[in-house]
Amino acid sequence: MSFRISVLGTGYLGTTHAAGMAELGYDVLGLDVDADKVARLARGEVPFHEPGLAELVRTHTRSGRLRFTTDFAAAAAFADVHFLAVGTPQSADGEAADLSHLRAAVDALAPHLERPCVVVGKSTVPVGTAAELAGRLAGLAPAGRAVELAWNPEFLREGHAVADTLAPDRIVVGAASELAEKVLREVYGDLLERGVPFLATDLATAELVKVAANSFLATKVSFVNAMAEVCEAAGADVTVLARAIGLDERIGPRFLRAGVGFGGGCLPKDVRAFRARARELGGDSAAALLGEVDRINLRARERVLALARRALGGVLAGRRIAVLGAAFKPDTDDVRDSPALDVAAAAARAGARVTVYDPAAGRSGAAARPELAFADSLEAAARGADLVLLLTEWAEFRTADPRRLAALVAAPVLVDGRNALDRAAWTAAGWTVHAPGRPAPRS
Ligand code: UGA
């Protein structure tokens, strides 16, 4: 059977999922309450930077397989499978997740669900949310219990979202009924045929898998940043340490890059929301662990700023700093909870004259931090700088010619806040290179 699919919420997750489902051959209707966004997407325009996504959206809006609407009744009438992909940001008044958008989407859709269908949660939620939504659906939908609920967490990474959607490393489905699980096995049939592992479980486990995965990744980053603190104190080198422990297959090399720490719209808020939920459930060890992960991460930002201050001889005020990077990581223009912007803003608050350059996040960065100056090229940012501070490891920075940049700056002093550059090459080009967790350069 060929299902018709709706995707509620057209942010990073929803837009990518909707386009991915169209690519897998389904007729898809994306829904958002933001009429402007819907109009842009319907014209094939993606309002954020994600490699390959604009092409996919354009292809399928042209073919007619992918359409967008603001109308919940239309989505209910159209689709057999409704994916919930609305945001669950951190609450304004605490660490817990704000579920108001998710509840609002379910409350708006449910009264129109008149025939059997499956509602599939993809949003990241505190464990127990799916059970609550199941009750809401059963109470509000005219089709009652014929509306099935499943939870199918999403593991896509920004910057790799299209590939992660079309070739995921696993599909996890929590379902209360065999029917819901069977429908999702069919929906993802092509991927399963290609050998993608499918894990069927209950709703609570599926919800937890997602926050546990993100928390583990965050823990790895904070672990290596804690090691960086010790390495600095001991005069050791965290990059060699990370490489050496990462060669142990049980540890693995990824997410062991020490630096300014993790940011973005997912890891920081998921760690906090999971911590809040674990505490509610009496999971004190998990809550304590995640609290420490968060603290180490925020300290990593302060430590990179302190390193910049040291590199400038102890004073930031009045000094010109070229900040390379605004996005929370390369290949995205997302600046949500970006360590780069945080450190740049803190340097400016301390009196430094900061100029930021980012290959894609200049506009989003300037909107988030209007007090900062942005340049539109690496050269323009570097010209006359007393310090170059790398905070997002874009390929443009990793492949930049250190000799050419040395000729532009006032002083060839670099803080590599991501341990991403070739220290030997930059040193050979005349730069004094400082980096978190590595021995101070010889003066
Ligand atoms: C993360 C997860 O990796 C995805 O699996 C998940 O689906 C997604 O959150 C989500 O919940 O939607 P993403 O936020 O795109 O994806 O970013 P990551 O690639 O995980 O990077 C997170 C942060 O960790 C970035 O700021 C990155 O710079 C930082 N990081 C990563 C380090 O500081 N060091 C490392 O070694 C690796």
Side-chain angles (χ1 to χ4, degrees):
M1 159 173 192
S2 182
F3 299 102
R4 296 203 297 185
I5 286 176
S6 88
V7 179
L8 276 58
T10 60
Y12 284 92
L13 166 58
T15 303
T16 311
H17 191 65
M21 290 293 108
E23 177 73 8
L24 289 179
Y26 296 105
D27 281 329
V28 182
L29 188 57
L31 180 145
D32 205 288
V33 292
D34 180 337
D36 274 356
K37 214 190 224 179
V38 161
R40 289 185 66 180
L41 285 164
R43 289 196 298 271
E45 291 169 30
V46 174
F48 48 83
H49 176 89
E50 180 61 45
L53 184 58
E55 290 80 346
L56 207 59
V57 168
R58 254 195 317 271
T59 304
H60 293 298
T61 46
R62 279 193 193 139
S63 73
R65 221 186 276 162
L66 176 59
R67 293 178 301 117
F68 293 92
T69 184
T70 55
D71 183 353
F72 284 91
F78 174 78
D80 316 292
V81 180
H82 302 278
F83 285 99
L84 303 171
V86 295
T88 52
Q90 187 173 339
S91 309
D93 58 354
E95 292 199 319
D98 173 0
L99 299 177
S100 58
H101 306 293
L102 190 60
R103 293 192 180 112
V106 167
D107 291 358
L109 178 72
H112 303 290
L113 297 175
E114 288 173 356
R115 59 190 165 86
C117 61
V118 183
V119 174
V120 187
K122 288 199 87 64
S123 309
T124 303
V125 291
V127 59
T129 304
E132 176 207 314
L133 295 181
R136 259 177 136 90
L137 280 169
L140 292 171
R145 299 268 165 209
V147 177
E148 306 263 350
L149 181 70
W151 217 263
N152 167 219
E154 182 56 59
F155 305 106
L156 65 81
R157 297 159 298 166
E158 289 180 22
H160 305 267
V162 172
D164 286 350
T165 301
L166 296 175
D169 45 21
R170 76 282 207 196
I171 295 170
V172 175
V173 168
S177 71
E178 275 177 29
L179 179 66
E181 183 194 317
K182 188 167 160 280
V183 167
L184 279 156
R185 276 186 192 277
E186 279 186 53
V187 166
Y188 291 123
D190 277 4
L191 302 182
L192 301 192
E193 264 171 36
R194 276 182 248 151
V196 176
F198 185 96
L199 281 89
T201 181
D202 51 86
L203 292 171
T205 306
E207 293 170 306
L208 276 172
V209 165
K210 171 61 193 256
V211 286
N214 275 3
S215 295
F216 188 77
L217 293 172
T219 303
K220 252 187 130 177
V221 174
S222 279
F223 177 84
V224 81
N225 280 332
M227 292 304 107
E229 295 179 8
V230 177
C231 283
E232 272 173 38
D237 188 331
V238 74
T239 62
V240 179
L241 179 145
R243 212 170 332 131
I245 64 172
L247 285 169
D248 183 330
E249 259 180 23
R250 294 166 303 172
I251 297 174
R254 298 170 78 184
F255 274 70
L256 283 183
R257 201 171 359 85
V260 72
F262 60 81
C266 302
L267 259 51
K269 64 112 179 154
D270 289 352
V271 163
R272 292 179 194 138
F274 191 15
R275 179 171 179 234
R277 187 69 181 123
R279 227 191 270 125
E280 281 171 8
L281 293 169
D284 294 343
S285 303
L289 175 67
L290 296 172
E292 200 52 43
V293 166
D294 195 15
R295 274 189 292 280
I296 294 166
N297 189 52
L298 295 178
R299 203 157 62 225
R301 301 178 186 187
E302 288 167 18
R303 293 175 64 84
V304 167
L305 184 66
L307 196 55
R309 184 181 282 113
R310 278 205 301 282
L312 284 167
V315 182
L316 288 167
R319 311 305 298 280
R320 295 170 71 119
I321 302 182
V323 166
L324 307 189
F328 82 97
K329 68 173 192 179
D331 300 317
T332 177
D333 61 355
D334 193 346
V335 296
R336 285 177 294 172
D337 204 342
S338 167
L341 275 190
D342 229 17
V343 172
R349 276 197 305 277
R353 293 156 65 198
V354 174
T355 306
V356 184
Y357 167 66
D358 188 287
R363 192 180 303 177
S364 49
R369 294 281 189 180
E371 73 274 24
L372 292 174
F374 284 79
D376 51 20
S377 71
L378 171 54
E379 290 71 22
R383 200 162 287 126
D386 300 308
L387 173 73
V388 171
L389 175 52
L390 178 112
L391 295 174
T392 314
E393 71 282 26
W394 283 91
E396 181 180 343
F397 306 147
R398 285 189 279 107
T399 58
D401 177 355
R403 283 187 198 284
R404 211 160 57 85
L405 284 178
L408 292 176
V409 293
V413 183
L414 170 77
V415 170
D416 178 1
R418 289 285 186 180
N419 277 306
L421 302 181
D422 179 346
R423 185 178 195 153
W426 282 69
T427 306
W431 290 80
T432 305
V433 181
H434 303 257
R438 304 189 77 177
R442 276 188 292 272
S443 45

